[in-house]
Amino acid sequence: GTPPDSTRSSRPCMATKAIHLASRLPRIATLAPRATPRAYTASRTLISPARAAMTSPKTELVHFSDTYQTSCEAKVVNCEPVEDPGDDGVARFVVVLDRTVAYPAGGGQPSDTGRIVGSGGVPFAVASVASTKDGTVTHLGEFEEEGTAPFNADDEVTVTVDADKRLLHARIHSAGHLLDVAMTNIGFGPDVMVPAKGLHQPEQAYVEYTGKVEGLDKDKLMADLKAEMNKLVSLGGGSAAAMMGYDEAAEACGGELPSYIPKDSTPRIVTIVPDTAGCPCGGTHVANVKEIGSVDVTGVRVKKGTTRVSYTIEGMKDHK
C-alpha cells in the first residue's frame, strides 16, 4: 500500500524525558541507545511525514501519553452533517473536538471506534477516526437515535473508545516494531534490510523492508524470527515514547532519521525494547512487550527488491 499516516502531539518537546506508555511501569531514564545501534537509514514509513513531524496539531491527542486511557472529556469544535448520507439514508456527521482519546487511522494501524456523549445523553457512535494534514482529528459516525439534534460548538462531551480493540491494535503495532528488533538481532538489521512500511491490522499484519538477500532461506528466516520474537516477549521490557529535538531523536534512532522528518521538528520517538534503536511513530503501543503475547511469523515474500515479513499474534485472525 501507500505510506500510511501517523499521529502528532500538541505536547511540548520533552527532549530528555521519556513519556511512559503506562504509569504503572518504572520509567526508562532515556531512549538513547546504550551503544550505537544500526540506524534506520532510509525510511521508517510506518508513519507519514505530516504526522511524524508535526508538533502543534489542531486536536490534542490524549493517547500520546497513555495507551490505556480509553475515555476523556472534550469540547466540541464543530459538528457538520455528511453531505451524502449513503444508501441507507441515515444522517451521518463529522465531529471535531479540541482533544480526543480516539486514535486516528494511520501508521498502518486502524482507527479506534467508540462513542461521544454530550449533555443530551444520546450517544454518537464513532465508526471511524481520521486526521487531516493540519492535525485536525475528525470523528465520523451517527447518533444512535434518529432525529437527535447535532452537537453545538463548545458543548462539553465525553469520548470513550472500545478498550479491547484499542489494546489489540496496540499489541499488533508493537509486534511490528518488535519484528524490527528481531530482524536486527538475527543479522538482518537496517544495513541489510531497511524497514520501509507496515500494516498492523487484525486481519493482516506485516512489515516491508527495502532490500533482499540472494539465496535467502525463507523458512529458516521465519523460524528464526519467530523464535527471537517470542524470546523477546518472554524476557519482557518496558517500551517508551518521547517528543525529542531533531538531533536527540536521530541519536535515539541509531544516528539518522528518515528524510521526510524536517530538521526543525520535534518528532515522537518510540523505543519498543530498552537499549535498542527507536523510530518515529505516532501509534499506540503496549507498556511492556510481554503484553504482545505469542507471535507467529507466517510468511516471507520477496518482490522487486522488497522483502515483506508477515506475522500474527494472539487475537488476530488466523493466528495459530
Side-chain angles (χ1 to χ4, degrees):
T2 57
D5 291 336
S6 77
T7 52
R8 343 160 173 61
S9 172
S10 61
R11 298 178 182 273
C13 172
M14 299 185 180
T16 59
K17 182 178 180 182
I19 306 170
H20 240 294
L21 296 178
S23 59
R24 65 176 182 267
L25 290 177
R27 183 174 299 280
I28 297 175
T30 177
L31 288 179
R34 174 176 49 197
T36 304
R38 299 169 184 173
Y40 283 86
T41 47
S43 61
R44 174 56 152 147
T45 54
L46 291 180
I47 51 182
S48 75
R51 281 171 154 190
M54 191 148 182
T55 57
S56 299
K58 298 287 186 178
T59 309
E60 178 187 349
L61 300 170
V62 176
H63 77 268
F64 259 25
S65 60
D66 189 353
T67 286
Y68 304 89
Q69 182 173 341
T70 56
S71 182
C72 78
E73 306 302 313
K75 281 190 176 182
V76 174
V77 175
N78 59 55
C79 178
E80 300 290 341
V82 175
E83 290 185 4
D84 183 2
D87 295 337
D88 58 7
V90 175
R92 292 181 174 82
F93 296 84
V94 173
V95 178
V96 175
L97 308 171
D98 66 337
R99 64 198 302 262
T100 185
V101 74
Y103 177 79
Q109 178 179 332
S111 79
D112 283 321
T113 58
R115 289 181 170 187
I116 302 173
V117 180
S119 59
V122 177
F124 177 83
V126 178
S128 64
V129 187
S131 181
T132 64
K133 289 183 178 180
D134 70 352
T136 299
V137 175
T138 59
H139 306 75
L140 173 66
E142 61 193 62
F143 288 95
E144 294 185 1
E145 292 183 13
E146 189 175 351
T148 300
F151 298 125
N152 295 312
D154 295 326
D155 279 357
E156 295 185 352
V157 297
T158 300
V159 189
T160 304
V161 298
D162 183 321
D164 291 339
K165 185 179 292 186
R166 159 66 67 83
L167 184 56
L168 175 60
H169 292 173
R171 290 173 54 235
I172 296 170
H173 198 156
S174 297
H177 285 241
L178 194 69
L179 175 59
D180 289 345
V181 175
M183 286 283 283
T184 295
N185 288 355
I186 67 169
F188 291 92
D191 55 342
V192 179
M193 292 191 201
V194 180
K197 61 184 178 183
L199 185 70
H200 313 290
Q201 299 186 357
E203 299 77 21
Q204 183 184 24
Y206 61 77
V207 177
E208 290 187 349
Y209 299 86
T210 301
K212 63 179 182 179
V213 175
E214 295 299 331
L216 178 68
D217 186 334
K218 296 179 182 178
D219 290 337
K220 183 177 187 307
L221 177 61
M222 290 167 58
D224 289 349
L225 284 172
K226 178 179 179 179
E228 182 64 20
M229 291 180 74
N230 283 293
K231 183 182 80 172
L232 290 168
V233 168
S234 178
L235 291 172
S239 58
M243 302 298 293
M244 293 184 173
Y246 185 89
D247 290 341
E248 185 179 9
E251 181 184 357
C253 293
E256 189 175 357
L257 288 174
S259 59
Y260 59 74
I261 304 291
K263 292 190 175 181
D264 60 352
S265 66
T266 54
R268 181 177 186 254
I269 304 301
V270 170
T271 299
I272 204 65
V273 175
D275 300 320
T276 63
C279 71
C281 185
T284 59
H285 292 281
V286 296
N288 191 299
V289 294
K290 280 183 176 290
E291 297 177 59
I292 293 173
S294 68
V295 181
D296 191 16
V297 177
T298 57
V300 173
R301 188 191 76 175
V302 181
K303 185 177 181 181
K304 295 181 179 180
T306 297
T307 300
R308 174 185 290 186
V309 181
S310 299
Y311 64 92
T312 63
I313 66 166
E314 292 177 64
M316 286 182 61
K317 179 182 177 182
D318 300 330
H319 179 71
K320 297 179 181 179

